[in-house]
Amino acid sequence: MSDDIPETELPTEGTTRRRALLLGAVGASAIISIRPALAQTQASILTCEIPVPDPARRGSYIAPDGKLVPAGTPGAFAPAGRPFKGQDVKRALSGGQLPGVDYERNRAYTNYIRRLQSGTSGFTCFASLQMPRG
């Protein structure tokens, strides 16, 4: 045995096995409790909403590059009639189409969404769509 540690304080084989089993049980319970939370998070990501534009800028139009411009600006688009669901935005950002809009309006709206910044309504939803899922 070791000269530094008295023999009575050295762990026995049974003690280390119990400790390993205990640590394994703690790890397994953490995995079991995390998986439902991830599933719930995924569901909330798909149902979150992104208004275009956010309510504080509701009177603005959306230019083709996604910037907000004054209402009536030539070539710009009126605000969307309702917020878009996360699943619709995710599909549109992957090359699909937002529901109920034509190609040009879809491009302008998705450009607006890509430009969202912290503090803007819909930003948290957009940011969560960008996070990789395992």
Side-chain angles (χ1 to χ4, degrees), residues 41-58:
T41 300
Q42 183 66 23
S44 66
I45 288 168
L46 296 179
T47 59
C48 65
E49 294 185 338
I50 301 176
V52 177
D54 70 308
R57 296 163 185 85
R58 198 73 182 140

Side-chain angles (χ1 to χ4, degrees), residues 88-101:
D88 296 328
V89 171
K90 186 172 185 167
R91 186 175 28 258
L93 293 173
S94 298
Q97 192 84 5
L98 289 167
V101 300

